[in-house]
Amino acid sequence: MAAYDAIVIGLGAHGSGAALALARRGLRVLGLEAGERGHGLGSSGGRSRMIRRAYFEDPAYLPLLGAAWAAWEALGEAAGETLVEVTGGLYAGQAGSDVFRGSVASARDQGLPHEVLSGAEIRGHWPIFTVGDEMGGLYDPGAGMIRPERAIAAQLRLAEGAGAVLRFAERVVDWRPALGGGLEVETDAAVHGADLLVIAAGAWTGHFVPDLRLPLEVERMPVFWFEPDVPVADVSVGRLPMWLMDTGAEGIFYGFPYDPAAGLKVSRHHSGEVIDPDAIDRAEHPADVERVRAFMRRHMAAANGPLREATVCLYTNTPDFNFVIDVHPAVPGVAFASACSGHGFKFAPVVGEILADLVVGTPTALPIDRFSAGRFAR
């Protein structure tokens, strides 16, 4: 008999959510993570992640988004801490931009409380922004941020409390059907047996399902924190919202309120630098910083102060920038997800539940046909 009912490969945002969901269902769960506990070398670090309600990307995400807000609240109650911090959200751009136009449409379609702002009104509300009159914005007072390291730690802690066994710094090298039935997962330390397998390996997901030829591209994402040239109180939580700004040719930039431990986070959404996740350059390069400083000189001049901290995270992108959540078409008992493309963290506990549904064969209550891996074959 297999030693475990289910094995989860990857214990970042979505893998930790899957391990928790499976353990809560009474399964014997083994979670395997190549990095140390709490590491920031994948896609789940960076001190702050957005959770939004006016979702410009695609209406298909709205059912998952509603479930995610409820899931984060329940997770926080179970963990004894608040995981979603309401900051408000500003989504700005020119009239035809996806960020502005799509956010306004989403807020109106859902009947969300919101304000549509002119460029002058944006400057009046938040003087840190030096946007032109050609810009507009949607302000969503209910949006907020999640501290990813705390959120993942909470999911891991609750999974262990529900009986899951979690192993860190143990790298999975292969998995296969076992001769006697079930599945084997080989690591650099042992071979583990289970009846079910969830693959939530982030940038390495494609490595574990090479036969599916998923068109996943991994993008190197430099992230920065600066010391602004304004009083900290003017750009802290309660004063400055988290924000997205579509500048057109320069790209989309985003940021969060001031973090006393790191500074004011300002970064570009998508770098265009496709890399091998096993050979990622994690150094801070002048060109990376200059790209963000050029944006700040034009749109956030007072934020363009000393660089306090920098890191590199990973986006895993599909061609249509939508998620992949599916079961393996040839091996029963295997489910995988790349809830990716730079907007997936906020869905972590919901994706974990969906993966648990898929791998045990329970119909999931949420619409996920849009995220089928088969769409790429078609």
Side-chain angles (χ1 to χ4, degrees), residues 67-258:
W69 278 90
W72 283 117
E73 183 177 357
L75 187 66
E77 290 177 359
E81 56 183 316
T82 300
L83 295 176
V84 174
E85 189 172 1
V86 175
T87 63
L90 173 66
Y91 321 124
Q94 295 185 11
S97 69
D98 288 343
V99 170
F100 178 44
R101 177 185 52 79
S103 297
V104 171
S106 182
R108 288 174 174 168
D109 289 347
Q110 295 179 75
L112 298 176
H114 67 278
E115 291 182 70
V116 178
L117 305 172
S118 67
E121 288 171 324
I122 293 172
R123 297 191 300 271
H125 281 299
W126 305 286
I128 189 78
F129 295 117
T130 50
V131 299
D133 290 340
E134 76 283 1
M135 301 284 278
L138 181 285
Y139 177 64
D140 171 9
M145 64 179 180
I146 301 168
R147 305 289 184 181
E149 293 84 1
R150 284 177 47 203
I152 293 170
Q155 292 192 134
L156 294 174
R157 189 169 66 251
L158 290 170
E160 288 174 318
V165 175
L166 307 180
R167 297 180 182 271
F168 297 90
E170 185 169 342
R171 182 179 296 275
V172 175
V173 296
D174 196 14
W175 69 270
R176 53 192 169 261
L179 292 177
L183 302 162
E184 291 179 344
V185 177
E186 180 182 352
T187 74
D188 54 10
V191 176
H192 305 284
D195 298 314
L196 308 171
L197 175 64
V198 169
I199 299 168
W204 293 268
T205 295
H207 293 188
F208 294 111
V209 284
D211 52 319
L212 303 186
R213 298 185 179 181
L214 297 177
L216 303 177
E217 286 190 342
V218 181
E219 194 174 10
R220 176 180 176 271
M221 293 303 307
V223 181
F224 303 105
W225 289 261
F226 300 87
E227 189 64 28
D229 188 25
V230 294
V232 167
D234 291 347
V235 290
S236 295
V237 173
R239 183 70 186 92
L240 182 70
M242 62 83 167
W243 55 271
L244 277 162
M245 188 178 297
D246 187 341
T247 65
E250 298 172 48
I252 298 174
F253 291 78
Y254 70 93
F256 291 86
Y258 187 86

